[in-house]
Amino acid sequence: MRLFGNAAPIRATDPGDVALHARDVRFDWAEIPLHWMAAEPIASHVMNSLNLLLPEGERSFLTTFGEALPFVRDEKLREDMLGFIGQESMHAETHAGSHDMLLTANGIDPRPFLRQAEYLFRKTVGPRQSTGTRAGRQQLVDRLGVIASLEHFFAFLGDWVLNSDLEQFDADPRMLDLYRWHGAEEVEHRNVAHDVAEYFGVGYFRRGALMLLVFPSFLILLVRGTKYLVRRDPSLPDLGYPRLLLRIFGAMRRGALPGVPALLISALSTFRPGYSPESVGSTAQAIAYLAQSPAARAAS
C-alpha cells in the first residue's frame, strides 16, 4: 500500500506481465502559474527545467530505438520496444505542448536553452554513423546504454513523484498530474531500455562507465536549466550557482525535490552485479495511478 501524495491509500496487486501502450491524455494548461508549487519557486524551476529537457531527450530515444528495432529478433522485446516508443512519443509531445502555456505565457523565452538541449542530445544520443558499419553499430550500442542509464533515473523520479506529498507545497494539480502520469509510465516501462541494452551487449563494465558519465551530466544539465529559468524570472533574484545550489538543497530537505543521498544510492544501485530496474518502483502502483489520472480520464 502506498500513497499518491496525500491521497487516500490505494491497494493494488501485482498485475504480472503488462503489455505497454500509449495512453491518450488531455491537459488544460490555461493560467498555470510559473511557480506551480507556490511555496517552492526554486523547486518549481528545477521541475520546469526537466520539463524543457524531456521532449528533445525522448525524441532522441525514439530515433535510437527506431534504428535498433530492425536488429531485434526477440518478439517479446520488439513488442516492448514498440510500446516504449508509443509512450515516449506521447511524453515528448505532451511536455512540449506545455512550454508555451507555462513559460512563454509567463514571460520566459525557453528557446535558447532548448537549442542547447537539442544540440546536446543530438550529439550524445543522436545518430552519428550508419549502423551498417562496425563503428556505427558500436555507437548505437553506446547510445542504447546511455538511454538505459537515463531511463533508470526517470523510473526513480517517477517512483519519487508518485510517493511524494507535493500537495503540501500548494502544487497545481494539473502539473502534478503531468508529472505523475509521466512518472507512472516510466515505472511501468522501466525494464525496457535495460533489456534492450543487454540484448545489444551492454554488459556490467560498459553500463558502469556510462552511468559515471550520465549521472553527473544529467544533474549538471538540470541545474544549468534551472539557472537559466531563475535568471529570467522577474520575481526572483538572479542567483549565482553557489546560492542557487543552497536553495535547491533547501528544497530537497523540505521534500519538494528528491535528495542527493537518494539520487546517489539510486545511481550506485546500477553497479550491483545482476542489477535490474525491476526493483525501482511498483508496476501495480503505477497502473493504479494511471487508472485515476485526471488527464487520462479526460481523454477517455
Side-chain angles (χ1 to χ4, degrees), residues 4 24-29 32 36-37 47 91 94-95 158 161-162 164 166-167 171-185 286 288-299:
F4 301 138
D24 289 331
V25 290
R26 185 176 301 154
F27 288 93
D28 174 14
W29 301 122
I32 288 185
W36 59 271
M37 284 189 279
M47 299 291 278
H91 296 170
T94 303
H95 281 276
V161 79
L162 283 172
S164 295
L166 299 184
E167 287 88 350
D172 185 284
R174 294 164 294 176
M175 288 298 291
L176 199 49
D177 185 37
L178 169 68
Y179 285 106
R180 286 181 175 160
W181 157 74
H182 186 161
E185 289 199 343
Y289 182 78
L290 292 167
Q292 70 171 37
S293 163
R297 296 177 69 177

Side-chain angles (χ1 to χ4, degrees), residues 11 34 36 39 74 88-89 92 105 115 126 146 197 214 282:
R11 299 182 183 274
L34 186 59
W36 59 271
D74 184 307
E88 293 294 329
S89 178
R115 285 193 291 268
V146 169
V214 167
S282 159

Side-chain angles (χ1 to χ4, degrees), residues 181-212:
W181 157 74
H182 186 161
E185 289 199 343
E186 291 295 337
V187 170
E188 184 185 33
H189 69 224
R190 64 193 179 281
N191 292 302
V192 177
H194 173 75
D195 291 347
V196 172
E198 285 203 327
Y199 183 88
F200 278 82
V202 177
Y204 178 82
F205 291 106
R206 184 181 276 186
R207 183 177 78 230
L210 290 172
M211 180 56 75
L212 289 174

